Amino acid sequence: MFDRHDVAAITYDLYGGAGCDENAKLFTITTHGIAAFVGPSATVAGASNVLFTFKSRAGTPTAAGLGVLQQACPQYHWAPGVSVDLSKDGCGALVQSNTECPIEYDLAAIVSGVAYFGDRSHPLCTEATRPTKLASWGVVKKRK
């Protein structure tokens, strides 16, 4: 949930396989922080440059994703359905710590009513690493 100036929470689910079948959900990442829209992108038409300053980052595995997070980040005690704070030490390539990457330099655009952020194939921790294209997947409000 966020508005023009604040990110109360951004939560995203990662799935194994195609589609968003709840049985294939591996884990959920939740971040809290502040968003600042800082002008139009010079490289992506219709997109805005965004700075995300994160206050916290956490990961919550499902039973299906427990092994993935245990392998990626063995320093934590993982249990299905239990959230682990990743803010201080991060989780390898999956989630940077607040120290490694206190600010993300991203993009945002609305395309056909769907919100898109920048391509996240690499960390977005400096202006030089700001994406030059939008992600291939959009963000939609979760249906209840």
Side-chain angles (χ1 to χ4, degrees):
M1 167 199 255
F2 58 94
D3 61 29
R4 289 181 62 86
H5 304 290
D6 187 43
V7 177
I10 296 176
T11 300
Y12 54 97
D13 297 324
L14 282 87
Y15 296 85
C20 296
D21 179 352
E22 283 299 307
N23 294 325
K25 183 166 37 170
L26 300 176
F27 53 89
T28 298
I29 301 296
T30 303
T31 61
H32 294 268
I34 299 168
F37 290 81
V38 293
S41 169
T43 57
V44 180
S48 296
N49 288 329
V50 184
L51 297 177
F52 289 113
T53 304
F54 293 105
K55 297 177 183 175
S56 67
R57 305 169 199 224
T60 308
T62 64
L66 189 59
V68 173
L69 289 180
Q70 286 173 330
Q71 184 175 359
C73 310
Q75 71 270 34
Y76 299 108
H77 174 73
W78 297 103
V82 178
S83 179
V84 172
D85 185 356
L86 306 172
S87 304
K88 182 180 176 198
D89 296 321
C91 185
L94 295 174
V95 178
Q96 287 78 40
S97 71
N98 289 356
T99 304
E100 291 175 293
C101 192
I103 298 174
E104 285 190 351
Y105 295 77
D106 204 352
L107 298 172
I110 304 295
V111 179
S112 300
V114 176
Y116 286 84
F117 293 98
D119 171 55
R120 304 187 74 76
S121 59
H122 59 273
L124 311 179
C125 303
T126 67
E127 181 65 47
T129 61
R130 186 184 297 278
T132 56
K133 65 181 181 178
L134 295 174
S136 58
W137 46 269
V139 179
V140 296
K141 184 176 180 178
K142 186 173 184 176
R143 295 181 183 156
K144 294 181 181 189

